[in-house]
Amino acid sequence: MDICTVHENASKCSVNTTECFMVLSTQAQKISIATLCVLFGTLCVFENSLVLYLIFSSPGTKKKPSYLFISSLALADILASIIFVCSFVNFHVFKETNFSKETFLLQLGGVNTSFSASLSSLLLTAVDRYISISRPSEYKLLMTKKRAWTALGVLWVTCATIASLPLLGWNCCTLDSTCSELFPFVDDNYLSSWICLIMVLLGCIVYAYAHVLWRAHQHVAYMEKHQAQLGKQNTRIRMDVMLAKTLVMVLTVLVLCWSPVLVLMIYSIFARLSNHLRKVFAFCSTLCLLNSMVNPIIYALRSKELYSSLRMLFSQFRRQLKASEESPVDSTHKSTVIET
């Protein structure tokens, strides 16, 4: 399949031009993409749904601002997985072209909103951890539940507004401008702006986590020096340090999964992409799903509260399973013995 040039993309803003972006040519490539999307997407939805259940089913976690931010992250990953898998597989595997420009931009806006909200939730979580570690005595006054909900509301509204700009008119068809080589109907200037936004979010997250790690390092040194005098406070500081390390692990996975996609997006703005690179971009896009799938695993392994809730849930499930496997004869015999 010939590569659509930038000039052709800008001059032919019709649904038929979307065929130029369907770069998977062999059946093996389509099967591989579909398998990765369905596998990562299914696990992501299941794991993040489990995280949401564990948080909101426990009175101790659902009231904490830090877990509200983690809930926002889990919700964003669920939405991103559902919208991304459905639209991505439908477009690249089944090569569905029976949709309008508005429909495609709406789906793209949903994916952008979810992934942007995921990054923004990580930023709020980093800020929350920094306040918790640096100013523990004032944490409850500074980070209230009302402020946490307000921050999440502003976050989601802002992400949805920015992601809906192409649908509202900032696209290469309406402006008759240069189209992106990676996304149909998307203006190159908008793609550059969105990349800058993502880079700013990543930079702020790295900056916040650098301060979290610095404060955590200070706490560790303080514990080693005054371990005998700390008592119960020692346990609290260790929990803060552990959670800080957990969030750094989340950030590391985030950067590793998003770097290939962002690098190819930036490269597409300044140079023309070959057909091979666009295929690489399609496969690298599935790494975003991998990131959403790994985050809940890190929570379960590193967060003691969520891990304890998960163990209790599995224990209840095993008890119910054993109770259901009891034979009617045994149940009747037990009832007879009790009556006797």
Side-chain angles (χ1 to χ4, degrees):
M1 182 181 296
D2 296 332
I3 299 177
C4 295
T5 63
V6 174
H7 173 73
E8 288 173 341
N9 288 340
S11 60
K12 296 180 181 179
C13 283
S14 62
V15 177
N16 294 330
T17 60
T18 56
E19 296 180 359
C20 301
F21 296 87
M22 300 175 181
V23 294
L24 303 182
S25 55
T26 64
Q27 194 69 18
Q29 293 174 352
K30 296 178 184 178
I31 294 176
S32 300
I33 282 286
T35 303
L36 290 175
C37 287
V38 173
L39 177 62
F40 291 163
T42 303
L43 291 176
C44 177
V45 171
F46 171 75
E47 292 172 359
N48 284 283
S49 299
L50 182 60
V51 169
L52 288 177
Y53 174 78
L54 293 177
I55 291 176
F56 287 98
S57 62
S58 174
T61 56
K62 66 180 180 180
K63 296 180 180 180
K64 295 183 178 180
S66 57
Y67 285 103
L68 290 179
F69 299 145
I70 293 177
S71 300
S72 176
L73 175 63
L75 177 61
D77 287 337
I78 290 175
L79 295 177
S81 300
I82 295 175
I83 302 173
F84 179 85
V85 170
C86 294
S87 59
F88 196 80
V89 172
N90 192 45
F91 184 83
H92 283 288
V93 177
F94 298 105
K95 294 189 174 183
E96 180 64 43
T97 59
N98 187 23
F99 56 83
S100 63
K101 177 190 70 176
E102 289 74 17
T103 301
F104 179 84
L105 293 178
L106 181 62
Q107 294 176 350
L108 184 63
V111 175
N112 288 345
T113 299
S114 302
F115 282 128
S116 300
S118 178
L119 287 175
S120 301
S121 299
L122 278 176
L123 177 58
L124 289 180
T125 307
V127 174
D128 173 78
R129 285 297 89 201
Y130 175 72
I131 297 175
S132 175
I133 291 179
S134 61
R135 306 172 70 176
S137 60
E138 304 175 18
Y139 174 76
K140 291 185 178 181
L141 296 176
L142 295 175
M143 189 60 66
T144 62
K145 190 175 181 180
K146 181 179 180 180
R147 289 181 178 179
W149 280 111
T150 302
L152 290 176
V154 173
L155 179 156
W156 280 91
V157 171
T158 302
C159 292
T161 301
I162 295 175
S164 62
L165 290 177
L167 184 63
L168 298 176
W170 192 355
N171 57 75
C172 57
C173 302
T174 304
L175 302 177
D176 195 21
S177 56
T178 303
C179 291
S180 170
E181 288 188 335
L182 293 174
F183 305 99
F185 315 123
V186 174
D187 180 72
D188 251 349
N189 293 327
Y190 172 80
L191 181 60
S192 302
S193 302
W194 189 81
I195 292 174
C196 290
L197 172 64
I198 298 301
M199 296 300 291
V200 168
L201 287 176
L202 287 175
C204 292
I205 293 173
V206 172
Y207 180 80
Y209 276 114
H211 281 74
V212 168
L213 285 178
W214 178 64
R215 298 297 299 185
H217 175 72
Q218 287 184 328
H219 280 304
V220 171
Y222 184 79
M223 283 189 300
E224 292 176 350
K225 187 177 181 180
H226 304 87
Q227 187 172 8
Q229 292 82 7
L230 285 177
K232 294 183 178 180
Q233 188 182 0
N234 183 28
T235 304
R236 170 175 170 75
I237 294 177
R238 286 189 180 277
M239 290 178 62
D240 287 341
V241 171
M242 185 175 182
L243 188 51
K245 292 180 180 179
T246 299
L247 299 177
V248 171
M249 292 175 61
V250 175
L251 176 62
T252 303
V253 173
L254 175 75
V255 172
L256 291 177
C257 291
W258 273 86
S259 294
V261 174
L262 290 176
V263 168
L264 289 175
M265 284 184 180
I266 295 173
Y267 182 77
S268 69
I269 296 175
F270 299 100
R272 180 175 172 180
L273 293 178
S274 64
N275 200 32
H276 175 71
L277 284 179
R278 296 202 296 166
K279 290 181 180 180
V280 172
F281 177 78
F283 278 93
C284 288
S285 300
T286 59
L287 291 176
C288 302
L289 287 177
L290 178 62
N291 169 69
S292 299
M293 184 191 73
V294 171
N295 285 342
I297 298 177
I298 298 177
Y299 301 149
L301 293 177
R302 303 288 297 181
S303 175
K304 287 186 177 181
E305 292 177 298
L306 291 183
Y307 183 71
S308 299
S309 299
L310 184 62
R311 291 186 61 181
M312 290 178 60
L313 181 63
F314 282 156
S315 298
Q316 293 176 0
F317 177 76
R318 285 197 297 266
R319 286 196 297 267
Q320 292 178 357
L321 187 62
K322 289 181 179 179
S324 63
E325 289 177 351
E326 288 185 350
S327 62
V329 177
D330 294 338
S331 300
T332 304
H333 176 69
K334 290 181 180 180
S335 300
T336 306
V337 172
I338 293 175
E339 290 175 359
T340 305

